[in-house]
Amino acid sequence: MSIFEYNGSALVAMVGKNCFAIASDRRLGVQLQTIATDFQRIFKIHDKLFLGLSGLGSDAQTLHQRLVFRHKLYQLREERDMKPETFASLVSAILYEKRFGPYFCQPVIAGLGDDDKPFICTMDSIGAKELAKDFVVAGTASESLYGACESMFKPDMDHEELFETISQALLSSVDRDCLSGWGGHVYIITPTEVTERILKGRMD
Amino acid sequence: MECVFGMVGKGFALVVADTSAVNSILVHKSNEDKIMVLDSHKLMGASGEAGDRAQFTEYVQKNVSLYQFRNNIPLTTKAAANFMRGELATALRKNPYMVNIVLAGYDKETGPSLYFIDYIATLHKVDKAAFGYGSYFSLAMMDRHYHPDMTVDEAIKLAEQCIEEIRSRLVVAPQNFVIKIVDKDGAREHSWRRTTKD
């Protein structure tokens, strides 16, 4: 089994009208065995920037700690929060530093940039950025997620419709993947508020 | 065939481990204590490569004591868990410790807690945890019978059920088990479940 599939994960981020959503599954496994059903894969960097980390859980935790550290330093020096585009470049650089001994993670970065314009991107484990205007996916369920998102996505959805769409896409995709699932964790971010919801899907 | 498992109850946390020290087909001893008492209110059950287990658990215990000497205040369970994860993560790409850990602790402010730490340095706070081949049986048993806020007696009974399951279903089941408990009064050995005298 590949090291990327050791813990199992599913991540998706979608763009709406002046808002974005980022969602993950909740399973933490060790290959075939499920250890926990409340594992956190999405982390808040600041109010308008969220980072999802799929892949090996240990590297996701290490990378998260390193990135929070770098962002806090940035905040001290620049006296403001990092823009999502800047943060994506930072993540890319940190991943490429370990080109010949990489972190086994695929990050999904989602944020509101200048003028609250939604920004999403993903990258592979060595930092190759992939910007998208509609949705990005990562994790063991990524192939199913691509299909589900492609068919369910519409541009310029408002936050209610976006929540429905991303939830349905996530739940239907993880149901086809044995290594991810056990519920969902969805964050909807608009310029004024952040909503966090837990989804109950097939618990298996 | 090492078995370590643990669970959280009402105001306490329990860790159970087998006590066999095995080398291929030979059982060196069957009273090897694999649950280290880190400080007054922390228990660390470890399973994995024998040398790494002894080295790593002693290293963590000494560093936890050092922190207390330097700062006049003990580490919280969460802090100790994160320290362990950091050490495992740093060593992972150089000279990994093949040790899986169940950390149980009691803090005055937050009560009892249990942490699952993989040998790859995956850290997660849980209500029940298990490692080894025995985990297939003990986790299933705990999934069925565990509920939050169990009393000590209920938890011991569940631990016994898990031990019975391991004894009857695991092909090379360990002979003896030790149960240790941590609550507001501290971390201490609770009891043994023996099938052989050593």
mmCIF file of all heavy atoms in Angstrom, chain B residues 21-28 172:
data_model
loop_
_atom_site.group_PDB
_atom_site.id
_atom_site.type_symbol
_atom_site.label_atom_id
_atom_site.label_comp_id
_atom_site.label_asym_id
_atom_site.label_seq_id
_atom_site.Cartn_x
_atom_site.Cartn_y
_atom_site.Cartn_z
ATOM 1 N N ALA B 21 8.174 -10.630 27.347
ATOM 2 C CA ALA B 21 9.342 -10.175 26.575
ATOM 3 C C ALA B 21 9.759 -11.364 25.724
ATOM 4 O O ALA B 21 10.195 -12.388 26.245
ATOM 5 C CB ALA B 21 10.462 -9.744 27.496
ATOM 6 N N VAL B 22 9.582 -11.196 24.404
ATOM 7 C CA VAL B 22 9.710 -12.343 23.481
ATOM 8 C C VAL B 22 10.851 -12.117 22.508
ATOM 9 O O VAL B 22 11.060 -11.005 22.043
ATOM 10 C CB VAL B 22 8.370 -12.518 22.722
ATOM 11 C CG1 VAL B 22 8.522 -13.437 21.539
ATOM 12 C CG2 VAL B 22 7.299 -13.018 23.658
ATOM 13 N N ASN B 23 11.591 -13.155 22.189
ATOM 14 C CA ASN B 23 12.596 -13.099 21.131
ATOM 15 C C ASN B 23 12.362 -14.297 20.216
ATOM 16 O O ASN B 23 12.684 -15.428 20.577
ATOM 17 C CB ASN B 23 13.998 -13.140 21.732
ATOM 18 C CG ASN B 23 15.052 -12.774 20.705
ATOM 19 O OD1 ASN B 23 14.770 -12.722 19.507
ATOM 20 N ND2 ASN B 23 16.259 -12.505 21.160
ATOM 21 N N SER B 24 11.770 -14.040 19.064
ATOM 22 C CA SER B 24 11.405 -15.099 18.097
ATOM 23 C C SER B 24 10.498 -16.125 18.779
ATOM 24 O O SER B 24 9.377 -15.803 19.124
ATOM 25 C CB SER B 24 12.674 -15.659 17.485
ATOM 26 O OG SER B 24 12.574 -16.969 17.115
ATOM 27 N N ILE B 25 10.946 -17.329 19.045
ATOM 28 C CA ILE B 25 10.020 -18.302 19.648
ATOM 29 C C ILE B 25 10.198 -18.425 21.157
ATOM 30 O O ILE B 25 9.488 -19.170 21.822
ATOM 31 C CB ILE B 25 10.149 -19.700 19.013
ATOM 32 C CG1 ILE B 25 11.590 -20.214 19.138
ATOM 33 C CG2 ILE B 25 9.724 -19.674 17.550
ATOM 34 C CD1 ILE B 25 11.709 -21.708 18.870
ATOM 35 N N LEU B 26 11.178 -17.677 21.691
ATOM 36 C CA LEU B 26 11.482 -17.817 23.115
ATOM 37 C C LEU B 26 10.845 -16.697 23.918
ATOM 38 O O LEU B 26 10.948 -15.531 23.572
ATOM 39 C CB LEU B 26 13.011 -17.772 23.293
ATOM 40 C CG LEU B 26 13.528 -17.809 24.718
ATOM 41 C CD1 LEU B 26 13.304 -19.177 25.325
ATOM 42 C CD2 LEU B 26 14.998 -17.446 24.750
ATOM 43 N N VAL B 27 10.216 -17.062 25.054
ATOM 44 C CA VAL B 27 9.695 -16.048 25.981
ATOM 45 C C VAL B 27 10.757 -15.838 27.045
ATOM 46 O O VAL B 27 10.971 -16.707 27.906
ATOM 47 C CB VAL B 27 8.372 -16.512 26.631
ATOM 48 C CG1 VAL B 27 7.892 -15.476 27.623
ATOM 49 C CG2 VAL B 27 7.312 -16.762 25.571
ATOM 50 N N HIS B 28 11.433 -14.663 26.996
ATOM 51 C CA HIS B 28 12.483 -14.396 27.979
ATOM 52 C C HIS B 28 11.916 -14.304 29.382
ATOM 53 O O HIS B 28 12.415 -14.890 30.316
ATOM 54 C CB HIS B 28 13.195 -13.068 27.657
ATOM 55 C CG HIS B 28 14.206 -13.192 26.573
ATOM 56 N ND1 HIS B 28 15.305 -13.991 26.680
ATOM 57 C CD2 HIS B 28 14.284 -12.590 25.367
ATOM 58 C CE1 HIS B 28 16.021 -13.898 25.572
ATOM 59 N NE2 HIS B 28 15.425 -13.056 24.757
ATOM 60 N N VAL B 172 -0.875 -16.645 19.372
ATOM 61 C CA VAL B 172 0.198 -16.703 20.379
ATOM 62 C C VAL B 172 -0.114 -15.631 21.415
ATOM 63 O O VAL B 172 0.527 -14.585 21.455
ATOM 64 C CB VAL B 172 1.591 -16.468 19.761
ATOM 65 C CG1 VAL B 172 2.660 -16.937 20.703
ATOM 66 C CG2 VAL B 172 1.710 -17.191 18.441
#
